[in-house]
Amino acid sequence: MVDALRRALPETGRTEPLVRRSDRADYQANGALPLAKQHGRNPRELGEVVAAAIDAPDLIAAAEVSGPGFINIDLTSEAIWRQVAARLDVDRLGIGLPLAGKRIIVDYSGPNVAKEMHVGHLRTTIIGDALARLAEALGATVIRQNHLGDWGTQFGMLIQYLNEHPEAEWHHADDADPTANVAALDRLYREARTVFDSDPDFKDRARARVVALQSGDEDTRKVWRDLVEVSAEAFDAIYERLGVSLTAADLAGESTYNHLLDDVVAELVDAGIAVESEGALCVFFDDITGPDDNPVPLLLRKADGGYGYAATDLAAIRYRIRDLKADQILYVVDARQALHFKQVFATARRAGWLTDEVEAVHVPFGTVLGPDGKPFKTRSGGTVRLMSLLDEAIAKASDVIAKKNADADPDDLAALAAATGIGAVKYADLSNNRIKDYAFDTDRMVSLTGDTGVYLQYAHTRLSSILRKAGAMTASVDPTAPMSKEERALALHLDAYSATLTEAVGEREPHRLCGYLYALARTFTSFYEANPVLKAQTDQARENRLCLVRLAKDTLAHGLGLLGIASPGSM
Ligand code: ARG
C-alpha cells in the first residue's frame, strides 16, 4: 500500500495510507482524503490513481475506490492463510519488540504501612501490573517500584501509642492470616489519632517520638522496622492472592529517599526554584492552579522542618532518572493526585532532571464504587477490606463453576475458583476505560456470559478442548484451501494482535487489549458455529481450522497472561 502510494503520487512524500480493518472489505485505506485536502485535489480521483497503482497479485485480490475516495482492499485467501502459518511458526506469535532498549519504571501499588490495603489500592495494583507486563512483552526493561508509604510523622504517633499500650495485640496476632496483623494496626492507628487529637500531653510525647524516629533512636527504629515488616507481609499476601508480579525486590518506600532529601532540597534552593514562604519551603508556579483557580505551591518542607510527600517524590524522580536511567516513568496513581504530579514534574523539569529525553507520565484512574454505584463502604460505613472482597469474588466464582461441574474434585475446584475469581476481578477492573469510575459488582463479574474474565477463560477452555480432542492429529496450513467468511474474520482478527499490544502500551490503556480479547472470543464463537473443526468435510479444511484454533488459543492465553489472568485448560 505504501509502495503504491509512493509510486502513484511521489509528491506526497511520507503520507501514511491509513489502512484500517473495515466491515465493507478486509481493510480500508482512508489516506486519500487528508491528502486531497493538502494538495487541493479531488479525493476520489486520488483514490483511483493509488488503487490503480496497487500491484501485488499474491497479496491483494481487489482494491476498489468507494465513497468520496476510500480504497476498499481485499486480501487473497492464500495471503491470509500464509500469515496464519507464519504466526504459528514463529516465537511469541510474531509480536515485535518496539520497546527494546527502553528502561521503563512503573510506580504502582504503593500502599501505606500500618494501614490495610483497601479497595482504593486495587486499581493501581492491577493496572500497574498489566502495564508492566505489557511493556516487558514488547521488549522494555521494566523496573517495578512499590512506593510504600512507610515514613512520616504519623509513625511517631503510632509508635508512642504502642509503647504506652504494651497490652495491644498486633504483632503476629494471627500467623495464618498476615493481613490480620495490619488490620489490628489499622485499628490502633485510629485509636492513637483520637488520643492525639484530644490529649495535649500525648501530643507532646508523640512529637518527641517523631524526633527520636528521625534522629535514628535505636529503640524507636526497631518498632518502626517491625511495623514496616508486618505490613509488607500483609501486602505480599494480597499480591500473592492477586497473582501480581511485585516482589520484595521492588519495594522502594518513601523512607528509601530520606538520605537524599537534604541534598535534593538544597539543589532546588540553590537553583532558586524552592523559596521560603512563611517559614516553609515551597515551589511556586505561574501556570499551575488549584480547583478554585488560585495558584497552589508545592510544599517541600513544613515550618517545623519536616519534609513531606512532595520532597520524597522529587528525590525519587531525580534518583529514577539519574541513577536508574529511566527513559520513561509511569506513575499509576489515583486521578486525585493529578495536581501533585503536575507540580512534581514541572519542578523536576525546571531543575533539569527531567529532560525531553525522559517521559514522566501520571497514569490516572477513576474510583471503584460499590455495587450500587455509590461510594464503596461497608454496611457500618467503614472502608472495605481488599482481602474480603477478593474472598467474596472467589466464593462467587466457586458457585458458578460448581454448578457446571457437579462432580469436580474439591481441590481442583478450589484452584479453579481462585483462578476465575481473581481473573474476574482483574478483568472487570482492566476492561473499563481507565479514567472512569466503575461499580464493583461481584455477581456480574463472575458471569459466564457477557464481557467478563470468566467468559474469556471459558472460551479458552473450549479452544483447549477442541485441541485435546484432535489429539495427536498433526495439522499444518494449506494456503491454497478455500476460506470461509468466518475463517477470514478470525484470521484477520488474530493478525491484529501485535498492533493491539503496541496501542495498549502506547496509550497506557489495558482496556484496549481486553476489548480485543473479547472480540476474539466472539469471533471464534461465530467461526465455530458455522465451521465444524473436527468434523470438517475435508482433511484440508480440518487441518486449516485446527491451525486457526491453535493460534486463537495461543493468542487468547498470551493476552490473558499480559493482563495477569490465568487461562485454565478446562473448567
Ligand atoms: N502511598 C500513596 C497513596 O496511598 C501512593 C504512592 C504513589 N506513588 C508516588 N510516587 N507518589 O496515596
Side-chain angles (χ1 to χ4, degrees), residues 245-321:
S245 60
L246 280 171
T247 68
D250 307 316
L251 279 181
E254 294 177 16
S255 66
T256 322
Y257 304 100
N258 281 347
H259 69 288
L260 299 173
L261 296 178
D262 282 334
D263 184 57
V264 161
V265 169
E267 194 179 328
L268 293 173
V269 171
D270 289 347
I273 298 168
V275 292
E276 200 134 335
S277 167
E278 294 169 35
L281 199 61
C282 298
V283 181
F284 289 91
F285 310 89
D286 294 333
D287 51 344
I288 301 182
T289 51
D292 50 3
D293 280 344
N294 285 326
V296 250
L298 185 67
L299 180 65
L300 299 187
R301 200 173 58 207
K302 287 183 286 190
D304 69 8
Y307 293 117
Y309 188 57
T312 305
D313 257 325
L314 285 166
I317 199 169
R318 192 183 77 169
Y319 172 76
R320 289 167 180 182
I321 295 170

Side-chain angles (χ1 to χ4, degrees), residues 107 110-112 121 147 149 254 309 313 320 331 333 337 340-341:
D107 177 325
N112 300 314
H121 293 111
H147 197 84
E254 294 177 16
Y309 188 57
D313 257 325
R320 289 167 180 182
Y331 292 82
V333 186
Q337 294 193 34
H340 166 76
F341 286 111

Side-chain angles (χ1 to χ4, degrees), residues 35 64 162 182 193 234-235 243 259 271 278 289 320 344 390 421 453 478 498:
L35 205 60
E64 270 156 26
L162 293 175
V182 178
R193 169 68 59 191
F235 304 150
H259 69 288
E278 294 169 35
T289 51
R320 289 167 180 182
V344 167
L390 299 182
D478 177 352
S498 177

